Amino acid sequence: MSDAYEAELVVDRRDSAADGVLALTLRHPLGEQLPAWEPGAHIDVVLGPGLERQYSLCGDPSDRTSWRIAVLREPAGRGGSAHVHEQLRQGGKVRVRGPRNHFALRPAPRYRFIAGGIGITPILPMLAAAQAAGAEWTLLYGGRTRDSMAFTEELSRYGDRVTVAPQDESGLLDLASVLDGVPEGTLVYCCGPGPLLDAVQEHCPAGLLHVERFAPKEQPEGENTQFEVELAQTGTTVTVAPDVSVLDAVRATGVEVLFSCTEGTCGTCETDVLDGTPDHRDSVLTDEEREAGETMMICVSRCRGRKLVLDL
Ligand code: FES
C-alpha cells in the first residue's frame, strides 16, 4: 500500500459541471504521465492536515495526461467540498494519491446503470466502456433539479439509452422500470445517496448489484470486544481495546499505514489478513470478498474471535 502513487498536480478549474458542482482537471506540473486507471477508480485528494476526500475519476481513462474529478458543494458537509470550491485556485497545486478501484466494471453483455446526483461520476467512464465493448446498457440518472445534475450534456450523445429524471420534474426514480425482470447476465451498477442505494438493493435480484457508497453503510448494533492483532512483518502483537480501531492500535506501535476516510468507505487502509476472521464493518468489500476474509479495512473492521494476523 505504501507504494501508492502520490503527487502534487496542477488544478484546472475552468469547467463548470452543474449548479454547485465543480469539475477539476488535474495534470502533472512537468507534463508527466499519470498512472493508468479503469472506470470506477477514485483518488484521495489531500486538502490539508487531517482533511482528505475521495473523488471518482470521471474523465477518459485513455488520457494519461490528465485526471478529471467533479466535486459537489455540500453546505452541510464536513468541510472537504467547501475547501475544494473555495481554496483550490486555477493553476494552483493539490496533493493526490491513488488511483484505487473498489467499483470495477465487470464484463457483461448487459448493464443497468443507476446514478443519483454526484454519483454520476464513477458511472460516466463506465458508460463509455460499456459502449466501446458493444454491451447493451441503459442509465437512469436522478437528481434534485436538471440544473444541479452534472454532465447531462456529455450524456446526450448516448441518446435514449440515458434517462435523465430530475426529482422536481418526475418525482422519485422509477426503479421498477429498470430493475423488474432484468434478463439473466445483466449487471446493475449504482452510485448515489444512501437511500437510493438501499432502495436499489431492495429491488435488485441478489448477485447482480454493484454499488459505491460515499457515506458509510449503517452497521448492525453490536458490542465491541477486545482482541489481539499480530503484525506479521514486524513480529509485534498489539491488543486492540473495545474503543480503539485496529488502525489506531497499529499506528500506536509506530507502523506506517496508509489511511484516509477512517469510516470504511474509501478502501485506502485495506490490509491483507493472514489468519483469523475479520468482523467486516466497511462499505467497500462485496459479500464474496467479506466471505473470503482475505483483506479487511482496518479503520472500522474488527475481529470475530481473539486474534488476527495481518500482513503489516
Ligand atoms: S481509511 Fe478509508 S476505508 Fe479505511
Side-chain angles (χ1 to χ4, degrees):
M1 286 187 299
S2 51
D3 56 0
Y5 177 82
E6 190 166 337
E8 287 215 315
L9 300 184
V10 179
V11 174
D12 183 342
R13 53 178 286 159
R14 284 171 297 188
D15 285 344
S16 124
D19 275 3
V21 181
L22 182 63
L24 300 179
T25 303
L26 307 172
R27 294 186 180 85
H28 194 278
L30 303 176
E32 287 177 13
Q33 282 211 337
L34 301 174
W37 60 281
E38 307 232 316
H42 68 256
I43 55 171
D44 300 331
V45 177
V46 184
L47 298 166
L51 190 62
E52 294 190 13
R53 292 293 181 269
Q54 287 70 45
Y55 297 107
S56 297
L57 292 172
C58 61
D60 174 3
S62 69
D63 173 6
R64 297 285 301 274
T65 64
S66 73
W67 283 343
R68 182 174 70 164
I69 58 173
V71 181
L72 168 69
R73 187 184 195 107
E74 294 182 90
R78 293 172 298 151
S81 68
H83 185 103
V84 170
H85 278 249
E86 288 160 20
Q87 309 288 332
L88 295 191
R89 296 274 154 247
Q90 170 65 24
K93 286 193 185 152
V94 67
R95 179 158 288 278
V96 303
R97 203 188 298 123
R100 197 172 295 113
N101 199 343
H102 288 284
F103 192 38
L105 187 66
R106 299 206 186 147
R110 266 177 305 280
Y111 299 98
R112 297 287 173 267
F113 296 103
I114 301 169
I118 197 65
I120 189 64
T121 49
I123 301 286
L124 209 53
M126 289 185 181
L127 305 180
Q131 182 83 359
E136 185 234 298
W137 64 269
T138 61
L139 165 69
L140 179 60
Y141 177 21
R144 249 179 332 103
T145 62
R146 197 170 286 272
D147 289 347
S148 73
M149 296 170 68
F151 305 121
T152 46
E153 215 174 288
E154 272 183 53
L155 290 169
S156 63
R157 72 187 166 112
Y158 294 122
D160 60 9
R161 283 178 185 266
V162 173
T163 305
V164 174
Q167 196 172 348
D168 65 340
E169 293 175 26
S170 23
L172 290 179
L173 288 183
D174 182 5
L175 297 177
S177 69
V178 276
L179 295 176
D180 281 0
V182 283
E184 207 167 307
T186 307
L187 291 181
V188 179
Y189 279 78
C190 176
C191 185
L196 171 65
L197 302 192
D198 294 340
V200 170
Q201 224 143 14
E202 247 170 57
H203 268 83
C204 193
L208 303 185
L209 180 62
H210 299 263
V211 298
E212 180 161 75
R213 288 178 184 267
F214 293 143
K217 210 162 42 176
E218 270 195 31
Q219 301 293 335
E221 294 273 318
E223 288 244 322
N224 283 355
T225 54
Q226 178 165 307
F227 56 95
E228 301 216 307
V229 170
E230 182 182 326
L231 312 179
Q233 290 177 28
T234 47
T236 317
T237 295
V238 48
T239 301
V240 183
D243 59 342
V244 172
S245 68
V246 174
L247 175 68
D248 286 345
V250 169
R251 292 181 70 219
T253 68
V255 170
E256 290 269 334
V257 195
L258 271 189
F259 64 97
S260 186
C261 71
T262 68
E263 57 180 21
T265 55
C266 76
T268 308
C269 69
E270 183 170 14
T271 300
D272 287 343
V273 179
L274 302 177
D275 202 9
T277 310
D279 175 4
H280 296 290
R281 301 188 185 182
D282 64 274
S283 310
V284 174
L285 296 177
T286 62
D287 288 346
E288 295 86 55
E289 289 166 334
R290 284 163 180 258
E291 192 63 34
E294 286 167 5
T295 70
M296 66 186 283
M297 304 303 147
I298 59 171
C299 63
V300 289
S301 296
R302 303 186 65 83
C303 175
R304 283 186 197 286
R306 302 175 73 94
K307 187 168 175 180
L308 290 170
V309 182
L310 299 180
D311 191 12
L312 286 173

